[in-house]
Amino acid sequence: MSTIEVAGVAIDTRHYINGSRVESAETYVNTSPIDGSFLGDIARGGQREVDLAVAAAKAAFPGWAAMGPKSRGEKLLRLAELVEENVDVLANVETLDNGSLLRSHLRGVMPRVALNIRFFAEWAINELHHEPFETRGHTNVISWDPSGVAALITPWNAPLMLATWKIGPALAAGDTVVLKPAEWTPLTASLFADLTKQAGIPDGVFNVVFGYGAEAGAPLTAHPDVNRISFTGSVPTAKIIARAAADNLTPVSFELGGKSPLLVFADADLDLAATLAVEQYDNAGQVCLSGTRILVHESVADEFAEKFAAKAALIKQGDPRDPDTDIGPQIHQVHFDRIAGFVERAKAEGQNIVMGGGPNEELGGLYFRPTLVRNPTPGAEIVTHEIFGPVLNMQTFTSDEQALEMANGTEFGLAAVVVSGDRDHAERITKFLVAGTIWVNCFFVRDLRAPFGGSKKSGIGRDGGTWSFDFYADVKNTVFAPNGWKDK
Ligand code: NAD
């Protein structure tokens, strides 16, 4: 069967290549994390499908590139409208496929998908400009030229949102695209492919190959006709992709993992600090940016812990389609077991687990209780490794110097949250934190004009505004001499 019905919506489970649906000899089973129910058999791509998709994208590139930002923009703005018209459908399907909250898909995530497309289309038309400047009478003119075929590889925790963060600027820059979505969450990518067709995006400009990372992702990243690789996922996969990209010297953009600190200073509003800390359980902890290491000044640690416990006790875990639910399931049994493994090993080490610490037996399935480890041993696995689940730890510090040393003491540098009631103090701290994004007395405020990315092992490159185009485009400087011109 090439079409399945999910949340009352017909979804094609075949690849989308050159404007048509393409089958594979093999399929894989896709299930819902909500209750383990079968959603469908999905095409399982490999070298053959990747070759077809890259060839289609390469053939479509000259035409798409030649259209220029305005004509491309018209189609992309139509695509954004179509996403807006289909928010309901996309939200319901995404929730069944990845288990994140329906209410946030409806209100935040899917409207954001439309914004990702619209924002970058408009940026290419209106903002992608550098004032020419003179060098000894010569004029430097800077342009952002389309670069070719962009391979986009994305994770499962915010499938369509993170994919369109790449698709938007890549298509707006004039590149053509081959998307390989995460194997656990393929469905909204298929619906999105249908919308690109409806929007009049020419065949071959946008392609989707489904399948496993090692089978479909690997040949895509090693393909000599791919001109850009943009990847969001884990550090170990990024290392494999970097090696594949090295052979062709293909430029890479990496958005990777984190183990971000949430710092609570003695001068902080502790109610606000506790609210922000509890928010780190959002999406069942499956958020790269989560401040999973809560670092609290010793003098306020007990008071903070009390407030945290009171707020965390109110978290309602359950079916993500229920509007009262705060936290849904983990994505997949494999990931659930990985999280449980971290917690079991922490228990075996004698770490102090003061909340949660295992599956939610009432709900069964893939629901893991929000967990807090207090005062873990410095250097313990639970402190250093990204768990990507609802597991936080809390440590104390006694000085700003110690807070900074602890905050910066990991291989990651994706984000940080600072809670302080003193602006000068907060500014001093942020200056020395190593992170791509720092939130002061807030969390998750994101503007597409701002740079986004990770320091250290949390990534390579920045997305947002012109930073996205610096990656997807070939940035060119043309120098015009003042002389050598013939009179017309
Ligand atoms: P993952 O690295 O396992 O997989 C991500 C994607 O890579 C999937 O599509 C997968 O199929 C593909 N892949 C796997 N092996 C591959 C290979 N050999 N060649 C090419 N592609 C391959 O990551 P995940 O478990 O899906 O996602 C969780 C990770 O993503 C976490 O580390 C999280 O922090 C990170 N993440 C980062 C951001 C960010 O913006 N920094 C956002 C979301 C998630």
Side-chain angles (χ1 to χ4, degrees):
M1 282 285 284
S2 58
T3 306
I4 57 173
E5 201 180 297
V6 174
V9 183
I11 303 175
D12 204 310
T13 56
R14 297 170 294 178
H15 314 287
Y16 181 72
I17 299 174
N18 208 18
S20 299
R21 293 291 174 170
V22 173
E23 260 175 292
S24 279
E26 287 184 80
T27 56
Y28 70 91
V29 171
N30 183 31
T31 54
S32 174
I34 299 175
D35 53 9
S37 59
F38 173 76
L39 294 177
D41 292 313
I42 312 295
R44 182 171 168 179
Q47 185 76 53
R48 180 186 83 94
E49 294 79 0
V50 165
D51 286 347
L52 286 173
V54 174
K58 190 179 176 186
F61 172 67
W64 183 245
M67 278 171 71
K70 272 221 166 95
S71 304
R72 285 195 296 268
E74 277 166 24
K75 300 206 179 298
L76 293 173
L77 294 178
R78 177 68 195 127
L79 177 59
E81 275 171 16
L82 286 166
V83 169
E84 271 157 0
E85 287 165 22
N86 285 278
V87 159
D88 210 53
V89 165
L90 292 166
N92 276 284
V93 170
E94 196 84 293
T95 292
L96 274 170
D97 206 12
N98 93 327
S100 300
L101 298 186
L102 178 60
R103 69 163 195 268
S104 54
H105 280 150
L106 284 169
R107 286 187 214 146
V109 177
M110 292 306 161
R112 190 86 193 194
V113 165
L115 181 67
N116 286 344
I117 304 293
R118 176 174 295 119
F119 172 88
F120 287 107
E122 289 177 345
W123 194 271
I125 296 167
N126 302 322
E127 307 289 341
L128 205 54
H129 173 73
H130 196 299
E131 277 305 307
F133 53 91
E134 301 281 312
T135 310
R136 295 188 304 275
H138 296 59
T139 311
N140 296 267
V141 176
I142 291 151
S143 56
W144 284 260
D145 292 358
S147 72
V149 177
L152 312 181
I153 300 189
T154 49
W156 42 260
N157 62 323
L160 194 56
M161 217 294 286
L162 291 172
T164 50
W165 220 354
K166 301 179 188 303
I167 296 166
L171 293 182
D175 295 356
T176 53
V177 163
V178 179
L179 169 70
K180 207 301 279 171
E183 47 271 44
W184 292 339
T185 52
L187 301 183
T188 49
S190 183
L191 293 173
F192 185 80
D194 294 337
L195 298 182
T196 64
K197 186 97 176 166
Q198 272 185 55
I201 308 271
D203 292 349
V205 168
F206 178 74
N207 307 274
V208 184
V209 175
F210 296 114
Y212 292 109
E215 294 174 5
L220 181 58
T221 54
H223 204 293
D225 289 335
V226 163
N227 305 88
R228 293 289 185 276
I229 298 170
S230 179
F231 168 73
T232 299
S234 64
V235 170
T237 307
K239 290 184 183 176
I240 297 171
I241 292 177
R243 285 186 204 107
D247 269 347
N248 301 309
L249 284 181
T250 315
V252 295
S253 161
F254 287 160
E255 304 279 10
L256 308 177
K259 188 79 180 175
S260 299
L262 185 151
L263 296 125
V264 182
F265 290 93
D267 54 23
D269 172 340
L270 294 185
D271 283 310
L272 173 66
T275 300
L276 291 171
V278 168
E279 278 178 32
Q280 309 307 311
Y281 289 124
D282 283 0
N283 208 22
Q286 300 167 138
V287 177
C288 56
L289 299 158
S290 283
T292 48
R293 292 183 299 131
I294 304 171
L295 308 176
V296 193
H297 193 277
E298 201 177 60
S299 64
V300 292
D302 285 338
E303 196 185 341
F304 168 82
E306 254 175 55
K307 290 181 187 288
F308 177 90
K311 288 183 194 285
L314 301 177
I315 295 174
K316 187 169 179 291
Q317 197 167 21
D319 189 318
R321 293 165 294 189
D322 180 341
D324 292 332
T325 296
D326 299 309
I327 294 184
Q330 308 308 136
I331 179 71
H332 193 275
Q333 189 68 51
V334 170
H335 190 58
F336 182 94
D337 292 345
R338 188 176 168 274
I339 295 166
F342 276 112
V343 174
E344 287 311 313
R345 288 191 295 278
K347 279 184 193 163
E349 286 168 10
Q351 307 292 359
N352 184 20
I353 296 175
V354 294
M355 198 183 95
N360 185 327
E361 270 97 10
E362 277 165 45
L363 295 170
L366 300 180
Y367 296 82
F368 200 92
R369 286 191 188 280
T371 295
L372 180 70
V373 186
R374 199 155 168 196
N375 299 325
T377 321
E381 181 191 64
I382 204 111
V383 182
T384 57
H385 284 57
E386 183 186 43
I387 299 169
F388 219 53
V391 182
L392 307 180
N393 62 64
M394 179 180 153
Q395 296 165 280
T396 57
F397 60 84
T398 53
S399 67
D400 285 359
E401 291 69 30
Q402 192 189 9
L404 284 167
E405 197 182 313
M406 290 168 85
N408 290 334
T410 76
E411 61 173 0
F412 298 107
L414 190 57
V417 181
V418 172
V419 197
S420 164
D422 177 337
R423 183 159 183 137
D424 293 339
H425 184 198
E427 281 181 14
R428 278 200 307 279
I429 294 295
T430 59
K431 204 169 154 203
F432 295 106
L433 283 173
V434 182
T437 302
I438 302 176
W439 284 289
V440 182
N441 294 339
C442 61
F443 181 56
F444 230 92
V445 180
R446 275 280 298 127
D447 189 316
L448 289 172
R449 292 170 297 182
F452 177 88
S455 302
K456 297 197 275 184
K457 290 220 167 46
S458 288
I460 296 177
R462 293 292 181 270
D463 280 319
T466 298
W467 290 282
S468 292
F469 291 93
D470 286 343
F471 174 70
Y472 290 106
D474 277 329
V475 185
K476 187 162 81 186
N477 184 32
T478 309
V479 184
F480 290 92
N483 54 310
W485 308 107
K486 288 186 178 160
D487 289 338
K488 275 200 181 160

